[in-house]
């Protein structure tokens, strides 16, 4: 029996959001601090979907660090896996939003506490008591967090967890694209589920025609990633929707048309929606058939769409009731 449905690992940080959409990064006049970090966002979103969740990561031994732990506690995310680093600050991310569907990020970490996560920091009890472990590539950009992330993935997998990886590529965190691709590809070999957006899928596979109008490009890209090891590859295309691929089948599932305010956090919300469904499935090979997968992506698309209706990431994540109500209204 596993106590947790989803444990996420990686960055828990402060997102400095611009007070309005429009200005580029140098022109923003006011920034508003909000809790963030993709894996932390996923943990909160999954908790709001009534999954048992926990978070593993490192923040600074500072006021932002203790604030962030409190936020996760309030969201009923188990926080005993959080470590406090006396040497570095909680990471900040400065954000500009030139329009509602795009964002510019500057990470203030040189290094930040999240990069200092070590093997010894890992709460092995959490890793052995979860059905799924999820993380992204931000924790792969530097040591020691990179080794800790690989160690966590292997430990959780050996203990029977499914491993989920969101490519979540942030170019400015890496020395160069080649280094990023090498580490991301090394991780893809180790995981069960890979999620990438269209930009990331193009970068990883060289496939240029990623469009729902002609899913053959999506299939080529997804199959290439699938060949590297995972059982399931999911590609997201923002307001268009998402595409799944297993060895047996692949299909595009359209997004829900909504009046988007800002798309920050949609990818994390989408992941939480997927994990909420996948955590209930034991035998992926037999049970992940086209019917099930279409239902899972429809659900994840709904969680993503609802998140685009409010500003910010964590503040915008919907509850289970809101997702169910939204889906019932669509029928
Ligand atoms: P990422 O944030 O990782 O780049 P996407 O922007 O592709 O991810 O969004 C993930 C999912 O969220 C999409 O596949 C879609 O289901 C949903 N989504 C994102 N933006 C919108 C939008 N503007 N309208 C409706 N759904 C959206």
């Amino acid at each position: 029996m596993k106590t947790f449905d989803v444990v996420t690992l990686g960055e828990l940080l402060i997102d400095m959001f611009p007070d309005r959409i429009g200005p580029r990064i140098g022109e923003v006049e006011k920034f508003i601090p909000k809790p963030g970090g993709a894996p932390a966002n996923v943990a909160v979103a999954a908790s709001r979907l009534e999954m048992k969740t926990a978070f593993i990561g490192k923040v600074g031994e500072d006021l932002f660090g203790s604030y962030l732990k409190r936020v996760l506690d309030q969201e009923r995310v188990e926080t005993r896996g959080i470590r406090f680093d006396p040497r570095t600050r909680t990471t900040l991310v400065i954000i500009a939003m030139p329009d509602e569907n795009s964002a510019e990020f500057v990470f203030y970490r040189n290094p930040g506490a999240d990069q200092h996560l070590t093997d010894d920091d890992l709460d092995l009890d959490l890793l052995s008591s979860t059905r799924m472990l999820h993380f992204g590539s931000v924790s792969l950009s530097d040591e020691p967090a990179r080794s800790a992330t690989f160690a966590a993935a292997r430990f959780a997998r050996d203990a029977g967890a499914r491993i989920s990886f969101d490519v979540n590529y942030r170019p400015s965190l890496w020395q160069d694209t080649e280094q990023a691709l090498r580490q991301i590809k090394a991780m893809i070999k180790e995981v069960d589920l890979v999620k990438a957006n269209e930009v990331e899928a193009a970068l990883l596979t060289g496939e240029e025609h990623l469009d729902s109008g002609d899913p053959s490009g999506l299939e080529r890209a997804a199959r290439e990633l699938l060949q590297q090891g995972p059982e399931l590859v999911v590609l997201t295309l923002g307001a268009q929707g998402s595409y799944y691929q297993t060895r047996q089948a692949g299909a595009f599932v359209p997004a829900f048309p909504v009046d988007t305010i800002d798309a920050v956090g949609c990818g994390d919300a989408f992941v939480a929606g997927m994990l909420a469904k996948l955590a209930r499935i034991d035998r992926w090979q037999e049970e992940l058939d086209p019917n099930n997968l279409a239902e899972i992506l429809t659900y994840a698309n709904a969680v993503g769409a609802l998140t685009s209706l409010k500003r910010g990431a964590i503040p915008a994540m919907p509850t289970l009731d809101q997702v169910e109500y939204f889906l019932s209204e669509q029928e």
Side-chain angles (χ1 to χ4, degrees), residues 101 195 197 236-239 241-242 255-256 258 260 263 266-267 270 301 304-305 308:
N101 284 308
K195 178 251 171 203
N197 66 25
T236 60
L237 290 94
S242 51
F256 293 97
V258 290
T260 300
C266 286
F270 176 92
N301 283 343
S308 80

Side-chain angles (χ1 to χ4, degrees), residues 46-201:
S47 179
R48 289 197 189 162
L49 298 174
E50 298 184 13
M51 297 283 101
K52 287 272 293 172
T53 64
F55 176 78
I56 294 176
K58 206 168 209 175
V59 290
E61 204 177 272
D62 51 36
L63 288 175
F64 274 143
S66 45
Y67 162 71
L68 289 167
K69 176 180 179 296
R70 257 194 332 272
V71 170
L72 294 196
D73 285 334
Q74 281 161 4
E75 294 286 347
R76 294 180 300 131
V77 174
E78 171 58 52
T79 56
R80 67 174 190 256
I82 296 182
R83 303 289 174 262
F84 293 86
D85 191 351
R87 293 174 301 157
T88 49
R89 290 291 189 201
T90 301
T91 295
L92 303 187
V93 186
I94 314 297
I95 303 174
M97 297 187 59
D99 62 66
E100 49 284 307
N101 284 308
S102 69
E104 298 173 336
F105 303 90
V106 181
F107 277 68
Y108 269 67
R109 52 170 215 176
N110 195 22
D114 58 301
Q115 289 162 284
H116 275 182
L117 187 75
T118 65
D119 290 21
D120 289 342
D121 289 327
L122 299 174
D123 187 319
L124 300 181
D125 180 56
L126 285 179
L127 291 172
S128 53
S129 49
T130 185
R131 299 168 70 82
M132 304 207 66
L133 174 68
H134 172 81
F135 48 80
S137 72
V138 171
S139 59
L140 301 180
S141 68
D142 295 273
E143 293 291 3
R146 178 190 303 150
S147 294
T149 308
F150 274 96
R154 288 171 189 156
F155 186 88
R157 188 188 55 205
D158 291 347
R162 295 277 181 186
I163 314 298
S164 157
F165 177 46
D166 180 353
V167 174
N168 195 30
Y169 174 51
R170 296 282 176 262
S172 66
L173 300 184
W174 297 85
Q175 278 162 20
D176 51 48
T177 315
E178 200 188 317
Q179 187 214 22
L181 289 178
R182 200 169 56 245
Q183 296 300 339
I184 290 169
K185 285 180 179 174
M187 184 53 90
I188 288 175
K189 290 193 184 120
E190 309 252 346
V191 305
D192 300 288
L193 162 63
V194 172
K195 178 251 171 203
N197 66 25
E198 59 208 295
V199 177
E200 295 155 352

